[in-house]
Amino acid sequence: MPADDSSEQRQAERAMLDALGAPLGLALTPRRLERPGGVHVEDTGVPDGLSVLVDCWAHQGPAKVAQRYKLVNDAVKLHWVGSTLAVAPG
């Protein structure tokens, strides 16, 4: 686990996935997505059918520079993964 990982953070991210998925009628669960060429991504909230891809970040206070880069990298990652799916997420 990374040094900045905590059980409280994981619980908050789980609550965020539940709060987002409930009104959409989706069960968002973290899973490992294998992509062409053996590339994989993890820690996204993904329902059966891959209709949406979600990444939650539970943090309080201003983001540090490295954390801002992580957020941008995660957004690019989700966009890339979505572009590799047979049917793009809505």
Side-chain angles (χ1 to χ4, degrees), residues 2-69:
D4 61 349
D5 186 66
S6 70
S7 62
E8 292 86 3
Q9 180 180 354
R10 288 189 305 277
Q11 289 172 353
E13 290 170 356
R14 176 71 260 162
M16 292 165 74
L17 288 172
D18 292 342
L20 177 61
L24 299 173
L26 299 172
L28 300 172
T29 56
R31 75 163 91 163
R32 179 182 175 125
L33 296 173
E34 300 285 339
R35 304 313 322 140
V39 175
H40 70 274
V41 293
E42 298 184 44
D43 294 333
T44 53
V46 183
D48 291 338
L50 303 174
S51 58
V52 296
L53 302 173
V54 178
D55 199 8
C56 294
W57 184 58
H59 178 77
Q60 292 183 342
K64 298 176 183 170
V65 173
Q67 292 168 325
R68 285 187 226 147
Y69 283 116

